[in-house]
């Protein structure tokens, strides 16, 4: 089992208030088909520190940063040689002796490829009263395509299952985090509050459109 990755990243900041980061990954994995081993995964993120703008320079009690990002990442959550058919050795009685037999035990898939997830995130970071109260709010949406599934096969095929790319899953949610510094000095006291809401939906399965929820948190 072998993996190979290349990554490039560039960052740029202008006047301590405009930020951009771009990343490009090219990943390869030996478990996929001969023409599907490599995939490209780009991403970009933007940030704006609003309180560094001249029109907010006199507002000393506030910190405010807006950010957004979009990117694609991949999943290789399968074992080695998953795209190949496999042979298994077994023994059986043949007359007065034991014979060795070799038979096909798994079905290969030369089209097996990367599972990929495209994600969009919009967020805000804030601080009040010299960061005595701070927090962040994030809204996100992700779409996973070419989901890696060990699909069951009819017994008449002679194989129990085959790894394949089928279906798609949509994911969206919200995350809120708040922190307050209540006491400082010899006695410190902080409180933290975290809230999250997530919804998953199978948007495609075996080539069909579906609206089946698969999980909430």
């Amino acid at each position: 089992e072998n993996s190979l990755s290349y990554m490039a990243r560039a960052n740029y900041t202008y006047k301590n208030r405009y930020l951009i980061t771009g990343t490009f990954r090219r990943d390869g994995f030996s478990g996929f088909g001969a023409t599907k081993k490599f995939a490209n995964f780009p991403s970009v993120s933007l940030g704006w520190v609003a309180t560094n703008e001249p029109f907010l320079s006199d507002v000393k009690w506030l910190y405010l940063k807006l950010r957004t990002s979009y990117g694609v990442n991949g999943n290789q959550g399968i074992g080695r040689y998953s795209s190949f058919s496999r042979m298994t050795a077994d023994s059986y009685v043949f007359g007065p002796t034991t014979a060795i037999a070799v038979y096909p035990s798994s079905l290969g898939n030369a089209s097996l490829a990367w599972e990929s997830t495209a994600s969009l995130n919009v967020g805000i970071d804030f601080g009040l009263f010299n960061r005595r109260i701070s927090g962040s709010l994030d809204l996100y949406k992700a779409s996973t395509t070419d989901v890696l599934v060990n699909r069951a096969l009819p017994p008449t095929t002679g194989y129990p299952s085959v790894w394949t790319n089928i279906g798609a899953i949509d994911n969206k949610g919200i995350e809120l985090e708040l922190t307050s510094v209540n006491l400082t000095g010899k006695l410190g006291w902080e409180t933290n509050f975290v809230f999250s809401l997530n919804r998953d939906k199978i948007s495609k399965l075996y080539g069909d459109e579906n609206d089946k929820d698969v999980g909430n948190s």
Side-chain angles (χ1 to χ4, degrees), residues 32-33 41 43 47 64 71 85 90 100 123 128 145 149 179 190 208 215:
F32 296 124
F41 304 110
S43 66
L64 184 63
S85 297
D90 199 358
I100 302 298
L128 305 173
T145 55
V149 177
T179 300
E190 294 186 4
D208 298 325

Side-chain angles (χ1 to χ4, degrees), residues 98-184:
T98 299
I100 302 298
V102 177
Y103 65 94
S105 59
S106 67
L107 183 63
N109 181 2
S111 298
L112 191 63
W114 284 83
E115 174 185 311
S116 63
T117 301
S119 304
L120 174 66
N121 183 90
V122 177
I124 180 173
D125 300 323
F126 59 89
L128 305 173
F129 313 115
N130 199 27
R131 304 290 183 94
R132 295 297 293 266
I133 300 175
S134 60
S136 63
L137 175 66
D138 286 273
L139 302 174
Y140 61 87
K141 184 177 182 180
S143 178
T144 302
T145 55
D146 294 327
V147 180
L148 290 167
V149 177
N150 196 16
R151 183 176 182 177
L153 297 175
T156 53
T157 64
Y159 301 97
S161 61
V162 62
W163 279 105
T164 187
N165 299 99
I166 56 174
I169 298 175
D170 290 337
N171 176 281
K172 60 183 179 180
I174 181 173
E175 293 182 353
L176 172 64
E177 182 177 356
L178 292 174
T179 300
S180 65
V181 181
N182 306 309
L183 290 176
T184 59

Side-chain angles (χ1 to χ4, degrees), residues 24 76 104:
F24 180 82
Q76 60 182 55

